């Protein structure tokens, strides 16, 4: 009650001041509140501890309760459940002196209880509406259950599959990643009815763009490692998705763990202040990553925690996740920084409507009706269908008829907790179907789906334990031979072997760097044995990253990349396997032939000794490997369908582009196969002569279209100076006159082109 009265009085005082100060309501509210705060209360707002341990009914006695009462906490994260959150919020609102409500954050990365595919898989839909819808459904569910802030989207471009967190981003390309990141911000923050009025609707949540910046380019693909990039490459290859999220109005940004130019992002003034705020105009709050402030000591850049806190806040950090280092910032000369950070955090709370109603995100009714609904599940299922990528399909082995007798084999075939994929904090895996259940439900007769696990994830139990953390244990205690014999016996009875193999959920994600991307040993050996039976094999490859599939590509007729497609994985895979829909995903990141090619991207720079066009095998004194082809096994943008598409040549409305004009590029795409399907038509550009040197090609636009069997459609792209330009090393965008190649096609390697000259 006390709090409500204080807040009410504040609101009245503010209204009275409105006319004369010229400040917004928001500013006046925050000014007023801050004028009542002690330095300790301000520091408390900057403090973000984690709470995995508060059980509903026990908030009062939790060790965090006293800190909240004393006003030493600004928010909490990863606490699940509207009732528990409500209880904790009540302590803040009713038992602390000023009653300032807490922020409740969570890593809602690709869904809440309804889990969507991992973000890398969502990027493979090339469907920004799918990404926006995923974020929208996530926001509806999370906000119904007490959460008002998510640590998503992760917009870290990554060209190196060794890095396990490639699963959480949108792949190797800045243009595709930018579109996906912006779509997710819209989905989280914008109410459907009136775009622009962000966060007004209580079914929206504040997004957090992460990890700023360039976290996806660690040296050697090693987690948390140093990043070394020229500014030219930062601006062109890594920054566009961050910038797009800022332009979409993202409310908060998380700094990354890595160093960049020798400075950890957590205390990097250029990144957090000059670039983010001054150049890009970001006006939200910046949060540190988990214990990153105190880790400035471990980086060897700060002597102690206090110095670490000073460096971080001076660089532009507002909120300190878990380190409790900002609580030490009582020095007088720190007050201007503390005031600024506190203001930004209170402003975020104001924008979230928490001062109007601190319980607006813990509606005890909505949390009963809005989670894991049939509608949300259906949406997740259709996004999952679109995210699967058909890598190979010899003799149209897929789709299978629902009468086919299948031997479903592999460590991923009958596991529930591994379907949702990494970073699914709020998932309820006991409710999700296993693949085996999904296929059995879809088959005409469930006895048509035989099953054997066949092997463990790997022979190495220690590696398996690391790859199945967080309750995703799956190791079988039978001998390798017993498991294999059982699988071979089952396979002999079937017409087709469907192998569900690859990585487990936690084989990718945070701190899962790999130096070897082959199919894990035990699974590879089992595939070799299965192949000897001479039956057709469909590999359903689970992984949170591109892996090396050379042997599989050479020896198996069909490979469907299924990633981790979320809570509805089983049904979505069955839909595609049995042909209820055609696969339509296209790779958002290339699959290499060898780890030694990494990092790799189709956007490679032009060299002084390039390979001849169309060649990618060794050529002396030209950029090539002596022991491996240059190209990836499966290129960026690639993905097959159950049908085939024919592309007409492209025509341009003009061959010359005055720098301020537009030119239209037109082509016709025809579905020449036997079923209706979606195709993603891609457009790339190349500057023929430029200074500085630019990549051999750059994705600039695409269209995902639906074509009925036999149907043709005209696809148009608008080419303007922005599409042809680039950022210089100062971050200034420019377009140079000269010749450009305009390339279109179904993936980054199979392109036809025409030319345009820019004056
Ligand atoms: C991760 C972040 C995440 C945070 C909070 C960190 O380890 O790097 O992405 O948001 O934990 O869970």
């Amino acid at each position: 009650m006390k709090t409500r009265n204080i807040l009410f009085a504040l609101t009245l005082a503010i209204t009275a001041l409105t006319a004369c100060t010229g400040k917004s309501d928001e500013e006046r509210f925050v000014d007023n509140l801050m004028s009542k705060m002690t330095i300790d209360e301000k520091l408390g707002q900057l403090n973000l501890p984690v709470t995995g341990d508060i059980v509903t009914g026990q908030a009062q006695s939790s060790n965090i309760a006293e800190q909240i009462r004393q006003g030493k906490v600004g928010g909490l994260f990863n606490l699940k459940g509207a009732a528990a959150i409500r209880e904790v919020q009540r302590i803040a609102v009713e038992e602390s002196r000023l009653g300032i409500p807490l922020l409740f954050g969570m890593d809602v990365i690709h869904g809440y209880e309804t889990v969507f595919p991992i973000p890398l898989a969502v990027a493979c839909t090339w469907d920004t509406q799918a990404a926006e819808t995923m974020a929208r459904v996530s926001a509806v569910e999370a906000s119904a259950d007490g959460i008002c802030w998510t640590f998503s989207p992760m917009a870290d471009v990554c060209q190196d599959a060794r890095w396990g967190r490639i699963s959480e981003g949108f792949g190797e390309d800045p243009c595709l990643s930018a579109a996906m990141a912006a779509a997710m911000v819209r989905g989280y923050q914008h109410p459907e009815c009136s775009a622009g009025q962000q966060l007004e609707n209580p079914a929206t949540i504040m997004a957090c763009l992460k990890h700023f910046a360039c976290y996806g380019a660690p040296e050697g693909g090693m987690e948390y490692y140093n990043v070394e990039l020229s500014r030219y490459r930062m601006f062109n290859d890594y920054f566009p998705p961050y910038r797009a999220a800022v332009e979409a109005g993202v409310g908060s940004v998380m700094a990354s763990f890595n160093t960049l130019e020798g400075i950890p992002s957590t205390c990097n003034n250029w990144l957090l202040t000059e670039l983010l705020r001054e150049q890009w105009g970001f006006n939200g709050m910046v949060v540190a990553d988990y214990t990153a402030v105190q880790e400035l000591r471990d980086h060897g850049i700060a002597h102690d925690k206090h110095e670490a806190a000073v460096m971080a806040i001076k660089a532009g950090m507002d909120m300190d996740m878990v380190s409790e280092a900002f609580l030490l910032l009582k020095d007088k000369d720190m007050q201007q920084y503390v005031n600024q950070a506190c203001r930004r955090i209170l402003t975020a709370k104001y924008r979230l409507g928490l001062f109007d109603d601190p319980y607006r995100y813990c509606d005890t009714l909505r949390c009963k009706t809005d989670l894991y609904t049939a509608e949300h599940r259906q949406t997740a299922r259709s996004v999952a269908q679109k995210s699967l990528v058909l890598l190979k399909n010899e003799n149209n082995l897929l789709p299978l008829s629902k009468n086919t007798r299948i031997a479903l084999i592999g460590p991923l075939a009958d596991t529930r907790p591994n379907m949702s994929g990494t970073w699914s904090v709020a998932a309820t895996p006991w409710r999700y179907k296993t693949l085996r259940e999904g296929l059995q439900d879809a088959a005409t007769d469930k006895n048509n789906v035989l099953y054997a696990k066949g092997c463990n994830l790997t022979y190495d139990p220690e590696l398996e334990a690391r790859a199945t953390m967080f309750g995703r244990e799956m190791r079988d205690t039978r001998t390798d031979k017993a498991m294999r014999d059982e699988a071979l016996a089952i396979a002999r009875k079937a017409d087709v072997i469907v192998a569900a193999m690859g990585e487990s959920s936690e084989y990718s994600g945070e701190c899962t760097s790999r130096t070897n991307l082959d199919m894990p040993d035990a699974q590879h050996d089992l595939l070799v044995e299965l192949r000897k039976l001479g039956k057709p094999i469909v590999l359903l490859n689970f992984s949170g990253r591109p892996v090396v599939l050379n042997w599989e590509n050479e020896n198996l007729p069909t490979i469907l990349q299924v990633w981790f497609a979320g809570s509805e994985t089983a049904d979505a895979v069955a839909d595609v396997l049995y042909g209820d829909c055609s696969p339509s995903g296209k790779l958002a990141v290339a699959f290499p032939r060898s780890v030694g090619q990494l990092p790799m991207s189709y956007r490679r720079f032009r060299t002084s000794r390039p390979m001849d066009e169309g060649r990618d095998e060794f050529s002396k004194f030209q950029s090539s490997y002596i022991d491996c082809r240059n190209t990836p096994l499966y290129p960026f943008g690639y993905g097959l369908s159950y049908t085939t598409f024919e592309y007409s040549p492209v025509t341009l409305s003009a061959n010359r582009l005055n720098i301020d004009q537009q030119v239209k590029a037109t082509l016709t795409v025809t579905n020449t196969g036997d079923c209706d399907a979606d195709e993603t038509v891609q457009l790339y550009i190349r500057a023929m002569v430029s200074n500085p040197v630019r990549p051999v090609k750059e994705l600039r636009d695409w269209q995902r279209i639906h074509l009925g069997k036999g149907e043709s459609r005209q696809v148009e792209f608008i080419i303007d100076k922005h599409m042809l330009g680039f950022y210089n090393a100062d971050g200034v965008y420019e377009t140079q006159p000269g010749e450009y190649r305009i390339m279109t096609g179904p993936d980054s390697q199979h392109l036809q082109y025409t030319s345009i000259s820019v004056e």
Side-chain angles (χ1 to χ4, degrees), residues 77-78 107 151 165 210-211 254 257 289-290 423 510:
F77 69 100
N78 288 355
D107 289 281
F151 304 133
R165 299 197 85 171
K210 70 187 188 186
H211 306 81
M254 185 185 293
F257 284 125
D289 204 343
Y290 206 106
W423 273 122
E510 187 168 347

Side-chain angles (χ1 to χ4, degrees), residues 46 90 110 215 263 336 418 496 507 628 646 666 685 731 751:
L46 279 47
R90 201 197 58 75
H110 51 110
Y215 182 42
I263 310 294
Q336 52 163 318
N418 281 282
V496 175
Y507 223 124
C628 182
E646 209 175 85
T666 311
I685 60 127
L751 299 169

Side-chain angles (χ1 to χ4, degrees), residues 460-498:
D460 179 353
E462 282 174 23
L463 173 54
E464 177 145 348
R466 282 178 234 137
T468 52
M469 293 172 92
F470 309 134
R472 292 183 174 165
E473 189 55 57
M474 58 200 286
R475 199 155 181 88
D476 201 305
T477 52
R478 288 176 291 166
T479 64
D480 296 327
K481 181 167 179 332
M483 291 170 78
R484 185 180 308 168
D485 288 348
E486 181 194 46
L488 292 172
I490 294 283
R492 279 190 195 96
K493 294 186 197 157
D495 307 320
V496 175
I497 298 167
V498 177

Side-chain angles (χ1 to χ4, degrees), residues 107-378:
D107 289 281
V108 182
I109 306 295
H110 51 110
Y112 191 74
E113 289 195 355
T114 305
V115 184
F116 286 71
I118 55 170
L120 181 59
V122 171
C124 293
T125 66
W126 294 58
D127 180 354
T128 51
Q129 189 53 50
E132 184 170 334
T133 305
M134 161 165 92
R136 187 85 286 280
V137 168
S138 305
V140 168
E141 294 199 1
S143 66
D145 211 23
I147 302 298
C148 60
W149 181 26
T150 176
F151 304 133
S152 167
M154 172 173 132
D156 303 316
V157 167
C158 179
Q159 306 178 348
D160 192 338
R162 291 173 296 182
W163 191 56
R165 299 197 85 171
I166 194 172
S167 53
E168 294 172 58
F170 306 115
E172 69 174 72
D173 185 73
C175 179
L176 180 60
S177 299
M180 290 289 163
M184 286 193 68
V185 171
R186 288 195 299 274
Y188 287 131
Q189 296 195 166
H190 292 207
E192 267 149 13
C193 45
S194 58
Q197 298 299 301
Q198 300 187 12
L199 301 177
E200 267 183 14
N201 180 331
T204 54
I205 57 180
M206 179 166 71
C208 181
L209 165 70
K210 70 187 188 186
H211 306 81
F212 194 61
C214 305
Y215 182 42
E219 288 176 317
M222 171 73 102
E223 185 65 291
Y224 314 130
Y225 252 36
N226 180 52
V227 173
E228 212 50 63
L229 290 168
S230 67
R231 292 210 174 178
Y232 174 50
R233 290 207 57 209
M234 289 182 208
F235 277 110
N236 288 289
D237 295 5
Y238 291 87
F239 287 164
Y242 302 130
R243 191 172 184 158
V246 169
E247 281 167 6
V250 71
S252 65
V253 171
M254 185 185 293
S256 57
F257 284 125
N258 57 282
T259 49
L260 194 61
E261 301 179 320
I263 310 294
S265 304
T266 308
C267 64
N268 193 322
N269 187 69
W270 174 62
L271 280 181
L272 303 187
T273 299
E274 290 176 31
L275 185 67
L276 185 63
R277 295 192 184 279
E278 293 166 9
Q279 268 197 42
W280 294 355
F282 174 69
N283 76 354
M285 55 179 263
V286 177
V287 63
D289 204 343
Y290 206 106
T291 55
V293 175
Q294 72 185 34
E295 285 168 21
L296 292 177
R297 277 179 325 195
D298 304 284
H299 275 294
I301 197 167
H303 291 88
D304 54 33
K305 199 160 159 171
H306 177 262
E307 191 185 2
V310 170
M311 291 174 80
I313 202 162
K314 279 178 128 178
M317 184 65 70
D318 301 316
M319 201 168 204
D320 170 12
M321 187 189 281
V322 183
S323 299
E324 311 226 312
F326 279 9
L327 293 175
L328 307 174
L329 292 173
K330 301 193 181 189
D331 330 42
K332 258 216 141 29
D333 60 345
M334 283 296 107
Q335 282 201 19
Q336 52 163 318
Y337 298 105
V338 172
N339 281 339
Q340 178 176 269
C342 181
R343 170 175 300 283
R344 290 177 184 147
I345 292 162
L346 294 175
T347 302
K349 292 182 176 184
Y350 183 93
R351 290 177 184 168
L352 282 162
L354 288 169
F355 290 110
D356 290 334
D357 176 6
Y359 304 109
R360 120 191 250 252
Y361 302 92
C362 350
D363 179 332
T364 38
L365 290 180
R366 266 189 68 210
C367 71
K368 293 203 179 81
T369 55
D370 286 8
L371 308 189
Y372 198 53
T373 62
E375 192 192 335
H376 292 173
R377 291 182 59 196
Q378 187 47 46

